[in-house]
Amino acid sequence: MIKEFKEFISRGNVLDLAVGVIIGSAFTSIVKALVNYLINPLIGLCVGGIDFSDWSFKVFDATFKIGSFVNSVINFLIIAFVVFLIVKFVNKLMPKKEEEEIIPDNTELYLKEIRDALVNKSDSSTFNNEEPNK
């Protein structure tokens, strides 16, 4: 069991995934700071100085923090956009795979030639007053 676990862990894609998760969590904290300290104040200026993080309402004893939800949506949109830009950039850097030359399948062509040959043979045998083979 230890050997299988070691093989599982030493696979390249598992290590790549672990690195991606670690970098993703670090990136998330950077985006949260960007949203909370730069973007939300700018949006607040545009909509009249409103701070989203303070938006909330109560229903009996439950408090609904709408501002935190708005911040989370903004965080998600920024992270998704940045990931989109990174993927687009990496795709431009990666060399394009040369498309394999598609070799046409000649089966249909060969079948047509066989059919034509059979038609010609039956026509010539009919022309020679011979009965075609059945």
Side-chain angles (χ1 to χ4, degrees), residues 16-34 75 79 82-83 86:
D16 291 343
L17 180 61
V19 169
V21 168
I22 292 168
I23 296 217
S25 65
F27 184 70
T28 300
S29 66
I30 291 171
V31 171
K32 281 184 182 180
L34 175 73
N75 285 343
I79 291 171
V82 170
V83 168
I86 290 171

PDB file of all heavy atoms in Angstrom, residues 16-34 75 79 82-83 86:
ATOM      1  N   ASP A  16       1.865  18.556 -10.285  1.00  0.00           N
ATOM      2  CA  ASP A  16       1.427  19.769 -10.965  1.00  0.00           C
ATOM      3  C   ASP A  16       0.144  20.301 -10.347  1.00  0.00           C
ATOM      4  O   ASP A  16      -0.023  21.510 -10.166  1.00  0.00           O
ATOM      5  CB  ASP A  16       1.195  19.500 -12.457  1.00  0.00           C
ATOM      6  CG  ASP A  16       2.490  19.227 -13.205  1.00  0.00           C
ATOM      7  OD1 ASP A  16       3.562  19.560 -12.668  1.00  0.00           O
ATOM      8  OD2 ASP A  16       2.418  18.676 -14.320  1.00  0.00           O
ATOM      9  N   LEU A  17      -0.769  19.397 -10.021  1.00  0.00           N
ATOM     10  CA  LEU A  17      -2.024  19.801  -9.403  1.00  0.00           C
ATOM     11  C   LEU A  17      -1.770  20.433  -8.031  1.00  0.00           C
ATOM     12  O   LEU A  17      -2.370  21.460  -7.695  1.00  0.00           O
ATOM     13  CB  LEU A  17      -2.957  18.602  -9.267  1.00  0.00           C
ATOM     14  CG  LEU A  17      -4.319  18.869  -8.642  1.00  0.00           C
ATOM     15  CD1 LEU A  17      -5.104  19.867  -9.481  1.00  0.00           C
ATOM     16  CD2 LEU A  17      -5.091  17.582  -8.498  1.00  0.00           C
ATOM     17  N   ALA A  18      -0.891  19.846  -7.253  1.00  0.00           N
ATOM     18  CA  ALA A  18      -0.579  20.392  -5.927  1.00  0.00           C
ATOM     19  C   ALA A  18       0.013  21.795  -6.048  1.00  0.00           C
ATOM     20  O   ALA A  18      -0.365  22.713  -5.311  1.00  0.00           O
ATOM     21  CB  ALA A  18       0.382  19.461  -5.192  1.00  0.00           C
ATOM     22  N   VAL A  19       0.931  21.964  -6.987  1.00  0.00           N
ATOM     23  CA  VAL A  19       1.522  23.288  -7.195  1.00  0.00           C
ATOM     24  C   VAL A  19       0.442  24.277  -7.631  1.00  0.00           C
ATOM     25  O   VAL A  19       0.401  25.418  -7.162  1.00  0.00           O
ATOM     26  CB  VAL A  19       2.660  23.209  -8.239  1.00  0.00           C
ATOM     27  CG1 VAL A  19       3.114  24.592  -8.677  1.00  0.00           C
ATOM     28  CG2 VAL A  19       3.833  22.431  -7.675  1.00  0.00           C
ATOM     29  N   GLY A  20      -0.464  23.837  -8.504  1.00  0.00           N
ATOM     30  CA  GLY A  20      -1.537  24.710  -8.959  1.00  0.00           C
ATOM     31  C   GLY A  20      -2.451  25.146  -7.827  1.00  0.00           C
ATOM     32  O   GLY A  20      -2.868  26.307  -7.761  1.00  0.00           O
ATOM     33  N   VAL A  21      -2.757  24.226  -6.921  1.00  0.00           N
ATOM     34  CA  VAL A  21      -3.628  24.562  -5.785  1.00  0.00           C
ATOM     35  C   VAL A  21      -2.936  25.568  -4.868  1.00  0.00           C
ATOM     36  O   VAL A  21      -3.550  26.554  -4.423  1.00  0.00           O
ATOM     37  CB  VAL A  21      -4.019  23.287  -5.007  1.00  0.00           C
ATOM     38  CG1 VAL A  21      -4.664  23.630  -3.680  1.00  0.00           C
ATOM     39  CG2 VAL A  21      -4.949  22.434  -5.852  1.00  0.00           C
ATOM     40  N   ILE A  22      -1.665  25.363  -4.599  1.00  0.00           N
ATOM     41  CA  ILE A  22      -0.918  26.282  -3.714  1.00  0.00           C
ATOM     42  C   ILE A  22      -0.832  27.665  -4.342  1.00  0.00           C
ATOM     43  O   ILE A  22      -1.102  28.682  -3.688  1.00  0.00           O
ATOM     44  CB  ILE A  22       0.480  25.708  -3.408  1.00  0.00           C
ATOM     45  CG1 ILE A  22       0.331  24.449  -2.546  1.00  0.00           C
ATOM     46  CG2 ILE A  22       1.358  26.743  -2.711  1.00  0.00           C
ATOM     47  CD1 ILE A  22       1.596  23.643  -2.406  1.00  0.00           C
ATOM     48  N   ILE A  23      -0.482  27.717  -5.616  1.00  0.00           N
ATOM     49  CA  ILE A  23      -0.374  29.022  -6.288  1.00  0.00           C
ATOM     50  C   ILE A  23      -1.758  29.659  -6.384  1.00  0.00           C
ATOM     51  O   ILE A  23      -1.897  30.870  -6.245  1.00  0.00           O
ATOM     52  CB  ILE A  23       0.268  28.843  -7.677  1.00  0.00           C
ATOM     53  CG1 ILE A  23       1.674  28.348  -7.484  1.00  0.00           C
ATOM     54  CG2 ILE A  23       0.160  30.099  -8.506  1.00  0.00           C
ATOM     55  CD1 ILE A  23       2.734  28.813  -8.382  1.00  0.00           C
ATOM     56  N   GLY A  24      -2.783  28.846  -6.629  1.00  0.00           N
ATOM     57  CA  GLY A  24      -4.136  29.377  -6.706  1.00  0.00           C
ATOM     58  C   GLY A  24      -4.590  30.008  -5.404  1.00  0.00           C
ATOM     59  O   GLY A  24      -5.224  31.064  -5.405  1.00  0.00           O
ATOM     60  N   SER A  25      -4.258  29.374  -4.284  1.00  0.00           N
ATOM     61  CA  SER A  25      -4.658  29.962  -2.995  1.00  0.00           C
ATOM     62  C   SER A  25      -3.898  31.259  -2.722  1.00  0.00           C
ATOM     63  O   SER A  25      -4.475  32.216  -2.203  1.00  0.00           O
ATOM     64  CB  SER A  25      -4.460  28.960  -1.863  1.00  0.00           C
ATOM     65  OG  SER A  25      -3.094  28.661  -1.706  1.00  0.00           O
ATOM     66  N   ALA A  26      -2.619  31.296  -3.098  1.00  0.00           N
ATOM     67  CA  ALA A  26      -1.852  32.540  -2.930  1.00  0.00           C
ATOM     68  C   ALA A  26      -2.416  33.624  -3.849  1.00  0.00           C
ATOM     69  O   ALA A  26      -2.539  34.787  -3.455  1.00  0.00           O
ATOM     70  CB  ALA A  26      -0.381  32.295  -3.231  1.00  0.00           C
ATOM     71  N   PHE A  27      -2.775  33.248  -5.058  1.00  0.00           N
ATOM     72  CA  PHE A  27      -3.333  34.192  -6.021  1.00  0.00           C
ATOM     73  C   PHE A  27      -4.675  34.722  -5.531  1.00  0.00           C
ATOM     74  O   PHE A  27      -4.989  35.901  -5.711  1.00  0.00           O
ATOM     75  CB  PHE A  27      -3.471  33.496  -7.378  1.00  0.00           C
ATOM     76  CG  PHE A  27      -3.950  34.384  -8.472  1.00  0.00           C
ATOM     77  CD1 PHE A  27      -3.145  35.390  -8.976  1.00  0.00           C
ATOM     78  CD2 PHE A  27      -5.213  34.221  -9.006  1.00  0.00           C
ATOM     79  CE1 PHE A  27      -3.579  36.204  -9.988  1.00  0.00           C
ATOM     80  CE2 PHE A  27      -5.657  35.032 -10.019  1.00  0.00           C
ATOM     81  CZ  PHE A  27      -4.841  36.027 -10.513  1.00  0.00           C
ATOM     82  N   THR A  28      -5.461  33.864  -4.893  1.00  0.00           N
ATOM     83  CA  THR A  28      -6.757  34.281  -4.376  1.00  0.00           C
ATOM     84  C   THR A  28      -6.611  35.368  -3.322  1.00  0.00           C
ATOM     85  O   THR A  28      -7.377  36.334  -3.309  1.00  0.00           O
ATOM     86  CB  THR A  28      -7.509  33.069  -3.792  1.00  0.00           C
ATOM     87  OG1 THR A  28      -7.699  32.108  -4.830  1.00  0.00           O
ATOM     88  CG2 THR A  28      -8.859  33.460  -3.235  1.00  0.00           C
ATOM     89  N   SER A  29      -5.624  35.233  -2.463  1.00  0.00           N
ATOM     90  CA  SER A  29      -5.436  36.269  -1.437  1.00  0.00           C
ATOM     91  C   SER A  29      -5.026  37.595  -2.076  1.00  0.00           C
ATOM     92  O   SER A  29      -5.438  38.667  -1.615  1.00  0.00           O
ATOM     93  CB  SER A  29      -4.409  35.824  -0.397  1.00  0.00           C
ATOM     94  OG  SER A  29      -3.129  35.696  -0.980  1.00  0.00           O
ATOM     95  N   ILE A  30      -4.244  37.532  -3.147  1.00  0.00           N
ATOM     96  CA  ILE A  30      -3.862  38.763  -3.846  1.00  0.00           C
ATOM     97  C   ILE A  30      -5.096  39.404  -4.481  1.00  0.00           C
ATOM     98  O   ILE A  30      -5.293  40.614  -4.398  1.00  0.00           O
ATOM     99  CB  ILE A  30      -2.789  38.463  -4.917  1.00  0.00           C
ATOM    100  CG1 ILE A  30      -1.477  38.069  -4.235  1.00  0.00           C
ATOM    101  CG2 ILE A  30      -2.580  39.648  -5.841  1.00  0.00           C
ATOM    102  CD1 ILE A  30      -0.431  37.547  -5.191  1.00  0.00           C
ATOM    103  N   VAL A  31      -5.939  38.594  -5.097  1.00  0.00           N
ATOM    104  CA  VAL A  31      -7.145  39.133  -5.738  1.00  0.00           C
ATOM    105  C   VAL A  31      -8.099  39.701  -4.690  1.00  0.00           C
ATOM    106  O   VAL A  31      -8.716  40.748  -4.913  1.00  0.00           O
ATOM    107  CB  VAL A  31      -7.829  38.053  -6.603  1.00  0.00           C
ATOM    108  CG1 VAL A  31      -9.184  38.515  -7.082  1.00  0.00           C
ATOM    109  CG2 VAL A  31      -6.953  37.700  -7.790  1.00  0.00           C
ATOM    110  N   LYS A  32      -8.225  39.038  -3.553  1.00  0.00           N
ATOM    111  CA  LYS A  32      -9.092  39.574  -2.490  1.00  0.00           C
ATOM    112  C   LYS A  32      -8.611  40.950  -2.049  1.00  0.00           C
ATOM    113  O   LYS A  32      -9.414  41.865  -1.857  1.00  0.00           O
ATOM    114  CB  LYS A  32      -9.122  38.626  -1.294  1.00  0.00           C
ATOM    115  CG  LYS A  32     -10.024  37.451  -1.482  1.00  0.00           C
ATOM    116  CD  LYS A  32     -10.071  36.607  -0.219  1.00  0.00           C
ATOM    117  CE  LYS A  32     -10.947  35.388  -0.423  1.00  0.00           C
ATOM    118  NZ  LYS A  32     -10.996  34.561   0.787  1.00  0.00           N
ATOM    119  N   ALA A  33      -7.299  41.090  -1.884  1.00  0.00           N
ATOM    120  CA  ALA A  33      -6.752  42.388  -1.499  1.00  0.00           C
ATOM    121  C   ALA A  33      -7.012  43.420  -2.593  1.00  0.00           C
ATOM    122  O   ALA A  33      -7.379  44.571  -2.302  1.00  0.00           O
ATOM    123  CB  ALA A  33      -5.257  42.275  -1.221  1.00  0.00           C
ATOM    124  N   LEU A  34      -6.844  43.020  -3.847  1.00  0.00           N
ATOM    125  CA  LEU A  34      -7.106  43.925  -4.966  1.00  0.00           C
ATOM    126  C   LEU A  34      -8.552  44.389  -4.958  1.00  0.00           C
ATOM    127  O   LEU A  34      -8.842  45.583  -5.112  1.00  0.00           O
ATOM    128  CB  LEU A  34      -6.775  43.217  -6.286  1.00  0.00           C
ATOM    129  CG  LEU A  34      -7.105  43.972  -7.570  1.00  0.00           C
ATOM    130  CD1 LEU A  34      -6.124  45.112  -7.766  1.00  0.00           C
ATOM    131  CD2 LEU A  34      -7.059  43.026  -8.752  1.00  0.00           C
ATOM    132  N   ASN A  75     -14.625  39.065  -6.703  1.00  0.00           N
ATOM    133  CA  ASN A  75     -13.398  38.248  -6.631  1.00  0.00           C
ATOM    134  C   ASN A  75     -13.421  37.150  -7.681  1.00  0.00           C
ATOM    135  O   ASN A  75     -12.441  36.923  -8.394  1.00  0.00           O
ATOM    136  CB  ASN A  75     -13.254  37.610  -5.251  1.00  0.00           C
ATOM    137  CG  ASN A  75     -12.829  38.577  -4.190  1.00  0.00           C
ATOM    138  OD1 ASN A  75     -12.333  39.655  -4.484  1.00  0.00           O
ATOM    139  ND2 ASN A  75     -13.027  38.198  -2.944  1.00  0.00           N
ATOM    140  N   ILE A  79     -10.811  36.704 -10.794  1.00  0.00           N
ATOM    141  CA  ILE A  79      -9.990  35.491 -10.895  1.00  0.00           C
ATOM    142  C   ILE A  79     -10.270  34.780 -12.215  1.00  0.00           C
ATOM    143  O   ILE A  79      -9.342  34.365 -12.917  1.00  0.00           O
ATOM    144  CB  ILE A  79     -10.249  34.556  -9.699  1.00  0.00           C
ATOM    145  CG1 ILE A  79      -9.692  35.176  -8.416  1.00  0.00           C
ATOM    146  CG2 ILE A  79      -9.625  33.188  -9.931  1.00  0.00           C
ATOM    147  CD1 ILE A  79     -10.075  34.442  -7.156  1.00  0.00           C
ATOM    148  N   VAL A  82      -8.608  36.743 -15.051  1.00  0.00           N
ATOM    149  CA  VAL A  82      -7.151  36.600 -15.046  1.00  0.00           C
ATOM    150  C   VAL A  82      -6.746  35.205 -15.519  1.00  0.00           C
ATOM    151  O   VAL A  82      -5.802  35.061 -16.306  1.00  0.00           O
ATOM    152  CB  VAL A  82      -6.560  36.914 -13.651  1.00  0.00           C
ATOM    153  CG1 VAL A  82      -5.097  36.546 -13.572  1.00  0.00           C
ATOM    154  CG2 VAL A  82      -6.752  38.389 -13.331  1.00  0.00           C
ATOM    155  N   VAL A  83      -7.456  34.182 -15.087  1.00  0.00           N
ATOM    156  CA  VAL A  83      -7.162  32.824 -15.557  1.00  0.00           C
ATOM    157  C   VAL A  83      -7.377  32.746 -17.067  1.00  0.00           C
ATOM    158  O   VAL A  83      -6.578  32.144 -17.795  1.00  0.00           O
ATOM    159  CB  VAL A  83      -8.019  31.782 -14.808  1.00  0.00           C
ATOM    160  CG1 VAL A  83      -7.947  30.422 -15.477  1.00  0.00           C
ATOM    161  CG2 VAL A  83      -7.570  31.685 -13.365  1.00  0.00           C
ATOM    162  N   ILE A  86      -4.399  34.320 -18.691  1.00  0.00           N
ATOM    163  CA  ILE A  86      -3.215  33.461 -18.581  1.00  0.00           C
ATOM    164  C   ILE A  86      -3.288  32.327 -19.585  1.00  0.00           C
ATOM    165  O   ILE A  86      -2.318  32.034 -20.287  1.00  0.00           O
ATOM    166  CB  ILE A  86      -3.066  32.924 -17.135  1.00  0.00           C
ATOM    167  CG1 ILE A  86      -2.667  34.053 -16.190  1.00  0.00           C
ATOM    168  CG2 ILE A  86      -2.053  31.797 -17.074  1.00  0.00           C
ATOM    169  CD1 ILE A  86      -2.715  33.684 -14.732  1.00  0.00           C
TER     170      ILE A  86
END
